[in-house]
Amino acid sequence: MITSPKYDCTDFTDVPYVDAAAVYHEEEETLTIFAVNKSKELMETDVKLRGFENYRIIEHIVLEHPDIKATNQQNKKQVVPHSNGASFVSGGRVTAHFAPLSWNVIRLSGK
């Protein structure tokens, strides 16, 4: 379960700024969280690790750019992922700082 601040838009109310999905790979004992921050502000998000309390973060990949309209059409390396995401595990929770308007991948391992 993930918690996030919410906003209202024309068609919906209580829309979370952060949307996320998780995938568990049993053979490798990895849990991967995919998350998007739709806010123009940094979001601190709390993810409860029910059943994965002993997992540790092995990577936090971020795709972001300060210009929301930036593309790689002209400069093929303008918008590229990096592994400088800010997240940590404590007390059975992942606390993650998601950059404004960013896409994130947090990989955790139970090994």
Side-chain angles (χ1 to χ4, degrees):
M1 184 171 153
I2 189 167
T3 57
S4 166
K6 298 176 181 169
Y7 66 96
D8 294 337
C9 64
T10 305
D11 296 325
F12 302 99
T13 58
D14 293 331
V15 178
Y17 277 109
V18 176
D19 280 324
V23 176
Y24 176 58
H25 191 288
E26 187 173 2
E27 293 84 23
E28 293 185 12
E29 291 184 48
T30 58
L31 178 67
T32 304
I33 301 168
F34 299 91
V36 62
N37 176 9
K38 298 174 282 186
S39 172
K40 293 181 181 179
E41 297 185 18
L42 177 79
M43 284 287 147
E44 180 176 309
T45 304
D46 183 52
V47 181
K48 296 176 186 176
L49 293 175
R50 293 183 189 144
F52 300 94
E53 290 84 358
N54 295 322
Y55 276 50
R56 62 181 175 78
I57 294 173
I58 55 175
E59 187 174 32
H60 181 163
I61 303 166
V62 182
L63 183 64
E64 64 179 328
H65 196 281
D67 179 0
I68 191 170
K69 295 184 180 187
T71 69
N72 288 342
Q73 193 168 12
Q74 297 289 328
N75 178 353
K76 299 211 184 290
K77 297 198 181 216
Q78 185 168 329
V79 184
V80 295
H82 62 79
S83 293
N84 299 327
S87 54
F88 63 91
V89 176
S90 179
R93 298 176 180 275
V94 171
T95 299
H97 297 131
F98 295 142
L101 303 171
S102 65
W103 179 82
N104 300 263
V105 177
I106 301 173
R107 294 183 57 234
L108 299 104
S109 175
K111 292 183 180 179

